[in-house]
Each structure stands twice: as structure tokens, then as C-alpha cells.
Amino acid sequence: MSDCILARYKWLRRCAYTLLFSCLLLGGLWIANVIYPLAMPNNDQDFATVVLDDQGAPLRAFADKNGVWRYQVSLEDVSPAYIEALIAYEDRYFYQHPGINPLSFLRVIWQYVYNQRIISGGSTITMQVARILYPHNRTLLGKAEQILRALQLEWHLSKKQILTLYLNYAPFGGTLEGVQAASYQYLRKPASQLRPAEAALLAVLPQAPSHYRPDRHPKRATQARNKVIDRLVTQGVWTQQKANKVKQEPVVVWTPEQPLIAPLLARRLKHGNPHKAVIKTFINRTLQEQISSYVKDYAALKGEGVSMAVLVVDNKNQHVISYVGSASMLDNSRSGHVDMVQAIRSPGSTLKPLLFALAIDDNLIHSQSLLADVPRANSRYRPGNFAKGFDGPVTASDALQRSLNIPFVQLIEAYGEQKFVNKLAHVLHPLDIPGNKANASIILGGAGISLQSLVALHSSFADQGRVKPLIFEDDSDSSNKHINNQKNQLQYQPQGRQLMSEAAAWITWKTLTGVMPPEQFNWGYSKAVRPQLAWKTGTSWGSRDTWAIGSTKQYTIGVWVGKPSGEPLKGALGVTTAAPVLFSVLDMLQGDKTKESEQPERPFTVQDKEICWPDGRSVTLVESEFCERHLFALTKQGVTPRTLKIESGLAFHQATKSIMLDAQTHLRLSGECGSLTAINKKVSLWPQQLEPWLPNEEKRTSRIPPYSPSCLVIPKQNQMLTIEGIQDKQQIYRQKLIPIQQTVHVSGAVGAVSWYLNGQWLTTQKSILQLLIPTQLNGEVELVAVDEQGVSGRITFSINDDLLTLN
């Protein structure tokens, strides 16, 4: 009995000692945890920033504050094959032990006692994380600290959190840390896409990153990788058949280097997301590299200091799929660091299509409305055209397709300059106007706007008139990221804002598809398969900026070419400098040749109407005898407004006029013509400013008879000025390179006369002009005179290099 009691006593004493030891151990650990608390990494500062393309591959990376390339990754974003290889090779009991493996720990102690030094680590993944976060010397004391930290990690964190720390902080050589960084650098892919052979390689690399570095020591790396594969077979994770197949794959890696694709977009997004480690975009890597290479070569051909910008947007979702902000970010001679996608520049004529559409919505015009390409009287603003001379009567569509300046000055004065500015501001793309005062010059480039705004605005033509925000960043994995972020407020307006009606947008798009491509793109196979492109060019004053903006049903493309410094690009025009880039990029986009015939769906509100000139309205609203010319117009809901007056703001031309005629002589009468028998007659009249460009049968002199000599007072009835000194259709021959001087004068003018040579204003003075024809001027020349009442005269003559004669 006493033996039984004694045995029980010993057992209780052992239990008491064990309990006391456990309590002391736990108490010690608790005290150590209080004295030496865990200091976890700061996720906002510890990671490099990586900007990814649409497939998850890096475009550009930014090191952390210490210059370390460490890209944040979650457990779910790593290939399961890598997790399998890592746990099998490093810590097969990771999910069972409390932070240390007792068997491995005893083995380390025995080796230390026997050899008086640490032979093997025996570290679990948790202990490795502890060593990474809290580095220590390879001593017994250091190992004890590592064990303490490992136990703390297991106490405070889940297995998933500990494993995630390893994935993000494991060393892969030099400043390369974490499996995501290693995968990007060596394999050019995210860790989620690792194949089994690649997973086994990266699992062993942290053991000796320099020794196994695969780009320098592929044989060593292969042997180490195969060791991991064998262990996976031994543990029954992989079959021998799978292992044999995986071993056949050679180790093929890239030399680590930081990518520099779409660098200015990456910089922009990094600045906009200073605490975000991974930024996803919709950039198509292949397209981006192709356009970037083309732009770099093209800018070099255009001369010193020339830079470029190209922006490509997918119309169905407004995703930016290519962003080239300069010719080359690293080329300081071209100010490559300046992002010309965001730069505010003069848009030239690229705003004209927007005014065209808005004027349709305001019932000012239809596609074939009569506009006037004539000199402007009584105006300080006298724009010219890039083409020589004036064209007189033109259709609204022709004026847009040929980018005539004066008809659009007429149009914006009728629409309202400030109203136009307000419309663009409403869709969140305001113009930068000098002095903040709108005037007619804004439609020809007298304001500032960015390439990205122009692309967003032009994309509305293919999207039912809605202006939607361009989407540069893929935030599909983020919730409520931009709710309080003002710069991204447009993300919460998925439908965009309506700038114009669906009908006006489609009519404008269809009109712009009629612009002929540059000559080198106007023939052959590429033309046959190219989709319909609605495009517009622009050239700012002094050729400082050249533009080409175009949209198909699927894409909108914007191109800018110029010098960021603002210096002129001599001889550059949008149609010759920027347009070739536009069509080259369009051809790069055409991977699917089956869609070349697609176009935005025509709205039912667009109606074809037969209309009359000079009245402008439908033939059903005009008496047939007053319908001089018949045209077929695209209209919004069948509305056919009258022809706008020239230089009269919002007013319409009255194409028919009643006059009184002498019943016997059919000469014109007035109220001062006594008791002669008068009859009324209606005549069709064109705007008076167009007289010099009309055939004789359409001029007022052919429609309105002179006043009867029986009238006591005969009103002045000059309908057109007469230029004398050079005859109409005359040929002038120049002797060698001697400038031609000729005195010309005009009869019938009221007040000062404005003179124009080939559409360019010369001077405003009295009716006599000493005309100097420069030596570089050859071929047909147009000379126009306009008096203060807007009455004009016009002659054309030819200059040829030969003996000087006046025929």
C-alpha cells in the first residue's frame, strides 16, 4: 500500500514540476513578448510599386524607400505549384508545428554540442520569417532569439499570414525580395502563372541566391531545382512520372532588369497612388511596344527636339490600351520626361467637329447647309485657310472635311463662343482660354486643351454623343477606392455626360469618314481591310502643334507631334506630320480583319432630306423655281434650317425677295418712281458676299434689273466691286526672279478696302493698292477686295516664270 502511495506521490510531483515548468516557460514567453513585442512590416512603405499591363506583366517598377525591389503579393496570387514546392522542401510540417519543429530543433542542438558550431539551421518557414524580420548572428543566442520570435509569430498570426510574409520577404539575391519580384525579374510573369518547373526553381533559390542564380549558373540552378523535385516525389506530393516530365524542362530565365514600358503612364499612376504597391492597367504590351518603337523612329526623322504622343482608347469601355507620352522618356534632347498626353496645347482645328455636331443639335445647320468661305468684313479677326484663296459657297460637310477656317468662324459666331466653351466644361473637359474670355479664335486653336481630353471628346462620335472618362487604371479588385478621390470622380459616372445628340454624333462621324487618307495610306491591301475611320487633323499657329484624332467603331486614336518647348516645327501640318502616325497606329490595331465594315449604328433619328440652295431648307418647303441647286443632306429628325447669314450672328438668310418692276419695261422701281404701273416679282438671291464666286446666271445682276430711269432718285445698287489694273484670267510672266509690282484699284467701294492675296490678308486702306507679288508665288493667284459694307470683288490670274509681259 505504501509503495502505491509513494508511486502516486512521485507521479503527482512530476506533474507538479511539469506544470510549474510549463507555467514558468509560458510566463517567460509572455514577459518576453511584452518586453520584446513584434514589430510588423509597414505595408505602405515596405513594398516597391509595380505597374502592370493587362496580362499582369510589369510595365515599370519603382523601388521602395531603401531601393529594394519587393512587390506585394497575396497567397491567392501565387501558383499552387510554388506553395507545394516551398512547403515540401522547406517545412513539410508547417501546418502542424507551433513555430519550431521539435525533431529538427533537437538535431540542431546535438550538432552544436558535438561540433561546437551550428552545422544546419533546421529552421521552419516561421523561423525563416523571424530571421528575415529580425536579423541575428549565427550563434546559440541568436538562434534562441529566432525561436522566440517564431513562437511570437505563431501566437499573433495565422499560418496564412506567416506564409504570406515569407512570400513577400524571402531573399532572392541583392535587392530582390519576394517571390513576385523574382518571378517578374527572372521569368517575366507574375507568380500566379508559374509552371511546376519554375515553381521548384524559385522554391530553392532563397537557400543560396547568388550561388544558384539561374541567369549566371544555370547548371547549379538545375541541380538545385531537381533536388526540390525529388523531395516532392519522396513525400508523395508528385508522382515520379510528373517529376521526370518536369525535369526535362530546361532552366531558361532573363537577366534581371527593371522594365521601362509606358514609363510616363506608370509615373502618372504612381504619383496618383502613392501608397499602392500594385497598380493594374489595361495596356496591351505588344501594341505599346510597337507604337513606342515607331514613335521613337518617327520623331528622330522629324528633327532635333521633336517629341510625340499617342493615346489609344477602346471605345466600348474607355480603357486606355496604349499610352505613349513622349518620343523617349530617356531622351533629354526631346524633353522626353514631359508627358505630352497631359500637356495643355493649342488644338488647331480639332475642335471643329464638336462645333459641327453642336450646331446640328441647335438646328443651325444640317450636313449640306450653305456656309461662306469668303473674306470677313468689319472684323479685326481675319483668319485664312491653309489652302490658297477662298472657295465662296461651301457645304458644312465640305468645310469640315477640308478644315476650312472661315466657315467655322461664321458657325461659332452663330452658335455662341461662350456657349461652346460651356458645353465642353459641362462634360468636364474645359478649355484653357487666355484671359478666360471666349472669342471666335477658339475654334481655330486659340485656346488650350490636352491630348487626353481631345481623345475623350472625339470618342463620343462613336458612342452616341456621350463623353465618358478615360480609364487608365484597373480598379476591379478595389472597393470604393475613389469615392473620396476628386481626381477620379468620373469613375462614378459610367454613362458619361451627353455632349451632343446621338443623331448629331453619327452625322459628324459619318462626315469625317469622308476625309481622304494621306496618299501613302490611300491604296492597296491596307485600304481594303482598314475599318472606317472618322478623323480630323489640326495645326496650331506657327506649326507649334500638329494633331490627328480619329475614331472607328472600336477605337479612338489621338496623335500629337511637335516640340514640348513650344518652338515652331517648320513646315509641319497635321495632315502631313501627324496623320501618317494615326493611320500607322490604326493598321497596327487591325488584328481582326473581319470587322473592317463595322461602323456605329445609324440612329433612326437621322433622316435623309433633299434640300435647296441658297435657301437651305427641304425641297418640300421651297417653291421649285427658287431651288437653284439640289443636294441630299443628313439631318436630325428631318430638320432643315435656312442658310445662316454671313457675319450676322444668330440670323438666317432670306433667299427670296420681292421687288417692284415697271409693268411695261420690267425695270426696277422704288418708292421714288412716281405713278408708274408696278408689278411684284419674287427673286431668289444668294448672300451678297458670295457674288464674286457665283456663275453669272446666279448673280444679283442677273436676277434684279437696274432701276428705271423714270425714277427721280435711283438708289446705289452696286452688287460687286470691280478690280482694275489686272484683268481676270490674265497671265503674267516674271523675268527671272524679279518681284512683280502692279498698281491695282477698285471701283464702287464704300470706305476702306481690305485686300486679300490667296486668302491671306494684305492690308486695309483706300481703294488703290501697290501690289507686290513675291518671287516664290507661282501658278494661279486670287486677289479679293472687300469694302466696309461687305461688298467684294474678285479676280484670278496666273504667274509664270518667263519674260515679263502684260497681255
Side-chain angles (χ1 to χ4, degrees):
M1 184 68 177
S2 60
D3 292 338
C4 181
I5 294 173
L6 182 61
R8 179 170 293 186
Y9 169 76
K10 291 181 179 179
W11 179 81
L12 290 174
R13 186 175 62 179
R14 285 196 299 269
C15 289
Y17 286 153
T18 302
L19 180 61
L20 177 63
F21 177 78
S22 299
C23 291
L24 290 174
L25 178 62
L26 292 174
L29 290 174
W30 183 84
I31 294 172
N33 183 65
V34 173
I35 297 175
Y36 303 104
L38 285 174
M40 300 306 295
N42 187 337
N43 286 348
D44 289 339
Q45 300 178 11
D46 273 11
F47 290 102
T49 297
V50 59
V51 181
L52 308 177
D53 64 18
D54 62 340
Q55 299 300 312
L59 296 170
R60 186 182 181 186
F62 302 85
D64 71 0
K65 61 182 180 179
N66 297 317
V68 175
W69 302 100
R70 183 192 302 114
Y71 306 144
Q72 190 172 18
V73 67
S74 66
L75 186 61
E76 293 76 14
D77 291 330
V78 177
S79 167
Y82 177 78
I83 303 300
E84 278 184 348
L86 173 66
I87 292 178
Y89 186 72
E90 291 284 359
D91 189 0
R92 66 182 299 187
Y93 299 109
F94 172 71
Y95 288 105
Q96 286 77 42
H97 63 65
I100 60 173
N101 187 327
L103 295 178
S104 298
F105 180 70
L106 291 175
R107 186 188 74 244
V108 170
I109 296 297
W110 167 252
Q111 289 176 340
Y112 182 79
V113 172
Y114 185 79
N115 297 283
Q116 295 299 305
R117 62 188 179 91
I118 295 177
I119 300 299
S120 62
S123 296
T124 64
I125 289 178
T126 308
M127 292 174 67
Q128 292 184 53
V129 171
R131 185 178 67 244
I132 293 169
L133 299 182
Y134 309 97
H136 59 79
N137 297 325
R138 289 179 64 84
T139 63
L140 195 59
L141 184 61
K143 180 61 70 172
E145 180 185 358
Q146 182 183 8
I147 292 171
L148 172 64
R149 292 301 189 187
L151 293 172
Q152 283 181 300
L153 287 170
E154 293 281 351
W155 187 357
H156 290 281
L157 303 178
S158 67
K159 290 289 186 180
K160 178 180 178 181
Q161 290 172 313
I162 294 170
L163 188 56
T164 300
L165 285 172
Y166 181 89
L167 297 178
N168 283 282
Y169 288 89
F172 282 87
T175 58
L176 203 62
E177 295 184 4
V179 66
Q180 187 79 304
S183 184
Y184 280 146
Q185 289 295 297
Y186 286 117
L187 303 169
R188 298 291 193 268
K189 63 169 65 174
S192 60
Q193 298 177 11
L194 293 174
R195 298 193 305 275
E198 297 166 335
L201 173 65
L202 295 189
V204 74
L205 199 54
Q207 290 287 328
S210 298
H211 185 72
Y212 295 145
R213 182 166 168 170
D215 60 316
R216 295 179 179 173
H217 311 294
K219 187 175 180 180
R220 294 179 194 168
T222 301
Q223 292 172 346
R225 181 202 66 179
N226 291 346
K227 184 179 178 182
V228 175
I229 295 172
D230 290 338
R231 187 168 296 183
L232 284 163
V233 174
T234 301
Q235 296 177 9
V237 179
W238 288 1
T239 65
Q240 187 63 54
Q241 182 181 6
K242 179 178 180 179
N244 293 339
K245 184 177 180 181
V246 172
K247 284 182 179 180
Q248 292 176 2
E249 184 174 327
V251 170
V252 179
V253 297
W254 280 263
T255 300
E257 63 179 7
Q258 296 306 323
L260 198 64
I261 301 169
L264 294 178
L265 172 63
R267 184 184 69 184
R268 173 180 180 172
L269 296 178
K270 172 69 166 65
H271 289 169
N273 301 274
H275 302 300
K276 193 171 184 181
V278 179
I279 302 173
K280 298 179 181 179
T281 73
F282 299 100
I283 295 296
N284 181 308
R285 188 187 196 90
T286 301
L287 178 66
Q288 178 72 23
E289 291 180 322
Q290 193 175 4
I291 294 176
S292 297
S293 177
Y294 173 84
V295 162
K296 183 177 181 180
D297 294 341
Y298 190 89
L301 291 174
K302 291 301 175 182
E304 184 178 352
V306 176
S307 190
M308 297 173 60
V310 176
L311 195 65
V312 183
V313 174
D314 190 331
N315 291 334
K316 66 178 178 290
N317 47 32
Q318 294 300 93
H319 291 169
V320 174
I321 62 173
S322 182
Y323 187 115
V324 179
S326 68
S328 174
M329 183 182 178
L330 303 179
D331 190 344
N332 292 330
S333 69
R334 301 181 187 278
S335 302
H337 62 284
V338 179
D339 186 356
M340 300 309 299
V341 169
Q342 300 184 78
I344 302 299
R345 309 288 290 201
S346 166
S349 295
T350 56
L351 298 178
K352 288 176 181 176
L354 304 172
L355 176 60
F356 180 89
L358 292 173
I360 291 175
D361 276 337
D362 257 25
N363 296 329
L364 296 179
I365 61 170
H366 48 67
S367 69
Q368 300 299 316
S369 286
L370 171 60
L371 297 178
D373 185 31
V374 299
R376 297 175 52 76
N378 305 320
S379 176
R380 293 182 180 179
Y381 185 53
R382 298 184 176 93
N385 295 318
F386 281 104
K388 292 182 179 180
F390 301 98
D391 286 283
V394 295
T395 68
S397 292
D398 194 36
L400 178 60
Q401 291 172 346
R402 296 170 57 197
S403 198
L404 300 176
N405 287 340
I406 298 173
F408 276 90
V409 173
Q410 175 192 2
L411 196 55
I412 198 169
E413 288 179 345
Y415 183 81
E417 296 92 331
Q418 189 61 50
K419 182 179 177 181
F420 179 74
V421 171
N422 292 345
K423 279 285 189 178
L424 300 190
H426 171 71
V427 295
L428 304 180
H429 292 285
L431 295 177
D432 187 353
I433 304 173
N436 294 320
K437 186 175 181 180
N439 56 67
S441 69
I442 60 175
I443 201 59
L444 305 184
I449 197 169
S450 66
L451 175 61
Q452 65 184 34
S453 285
L454 284 175
V455 168
L457 290 167
H458 275 250
S459 69
S460 66
F461 297 131
D463 193 15
Q464 301 175 320
R466 291 191 297 266
V467 177
K468 297 179 181 178
L470 303 185
I471 309 299
F472 300 94
E473 179 184 351
D474 182 1
D475 282 326
S476 57
D477 295 334
S478 302
S479 59
N480 301 324
K481 176 183 183 295
H482 296 309
I483 288 180
N484 298 315
N485 193 336
Q486 185 177 2
K487 77 180 181 65
N488 286 299
Q489 59 180 312
L490 285 176
Q491 299 281 0
Y492 286 88
Q493 299 169 14
Q495 297 304 315
R497 295 191 177 187
Q498 202 75 33
L499 175 62
M500 62 196 74
S501 69
E502 184 179 0
W506 189 89
I507 293 171
T508 305
W509 187 90
K510 193 64 177 177
T511 300
L512 290 174
T513 61
V515 182
M516 293 297 293
E519 185 176 354
Q520 64 269 40
F521 294 93
N522 196 29
W523 60 274
Y525 173 75
S526 62
K527 179 184 176 183
V529 299
R530 188 180 296 126
Q532 292 191 65
L533 178 72
W535 66 291
K536 184 73 185 73
T537 60
T539 307
S540 68
W541 184 79
S543 296
R544 287 169 169 79
D545 307 275
T546 62
W547 307 83
I549 317 290
S551 59
T552 66
K553 179 181 179 180
Q554 188 172 1
Y555 301 108
T556 298
I557 308 165
V559 176
W560 173 87
V561 183
K563 295 185 178 181
S565 63
E567 299 175 60
L569 190 56
K570 187 176 180 180
L573 297 173
V575 70
T576 57
T577 306
V581 183
L582 173 68
F583 279 84
S584 294
V585 172
L586 177 62
D587 288 345
M588 294 177 196
L589 285 166
Q590 299 316 305
D592 184 357
K593 302 299 184 181
T594 65
K595 297 182 178 181
E596 64 269 11
S597 62
E598 287 192 3
Q599 59 178 301
E601 184 178 354
R602 173 173 171 154
F604 71 91
T605 50
V606 174
Q607 297 181 21
D608 295 289
K609 287 287 183 178
E610 185 179 0
I611 62 99
C612 293
W613 272 12
D615 185 280
R617 293 180 296 167
S618 168
V619 293
T620 61
L621 301 175
V622 181
E623 298 178 45
S624 59
E625 61 182 302
F626 302 128
C627 197
E628 306 280 346
R629 304 184 194 177
H630 293 245
L631 296 90
F632 288 90
L634 294 172
T635 70
K636 175 188 173 183
Q637 295 180 328
V639 175
T640 55
R642 292 180 184 270
T643 295
L644 286 169
K645 274 191 174 181
I646 302 173
E647 299 182 8
S648 297
L650 183 53
F652 296 95
H653 169 67
Q654 297 298 323
T656 58
K657 182 175 183 179
S658 293
I659 59 175
M660 291 189 299
L661 301 180
D662 185 338
Q664 294 184 350
T665 65
H666 291 279
L667 296 177
R668 190 175 182 187
L669 300 178
S670 70
E672 304 293 332
C673 294
S675 59
L676 295 174
T677 303
I679 59 174
N680 285 322
K681 180 182 179 181
K682 280 187 176 182
V683 293
S684 175
L685 298 178
W686 293 70
Q688 184 172 332
Q689 294 90 331
L690 295 175
E691 286 285 302
W693 288 268
L694 296 175
N696 288 331
E697 65 272 15
E698 293 180 347
K699 291 180 179 179
R700 294 182 177 224
T701 52
S702 300
R703 302 288 171 84
I704 303 177
Y707 281 95
S708 171
S710 301
C711 297
L712 298 177
V713 177
I714 300 178
K716 183 179 179 181
Q717 51 184 336
N718 283 344
Q719 307 297 340
M720 192 169 67
L721 306 182
T722 301
I723 298 176
E724 300 174 350
I726 300 177
Q727 297 179 8
D728 191 34
K729 308 300 182 182
Q730 180 177 351
Q731 292 188 13
I732 300 178
Y733 293 90
R734 179 188 290 115
Q735 185 178 22
K736 296 182 180 179
L737 294 177
I738 300 174
I740 297 174
Q741 294 187 10
Q742 186 72 20
T743 301
V744 294
H745 64 276
V746 65
S747 59
V750 176
V753 175
S754 296
W755 294 90
Y756 298 82
L757 184 67
N758 274 357
Q760 301 301 312
W761 177 76
L762 295 178
T763 183
T764 299
Q765 58 183 46
K766 293 184 178 180
S767 58
I768 298 178
L769 172 69
Q770 296 299 324
L771 179 63
L772 177 65
I773 302 175
T775 56
Q776 66 269 24
L777 194 60
N778 283 289
E780 186 172 286
V781 178
E782 178 191 65
L783 181 65
V784 176
V786 185
D787 71 7
E788 291 182 353
Q789 294 186 347
V791 180
S792 57
R794 172 179 177 265
I795 60 171
T796 59
F797 54 94
S798 299
I799 301 294
N800 299 288
D801 289 329
D802 203 334
L803 295 177
L804 178 62
T805 59
L806 293 179
N807 297 335

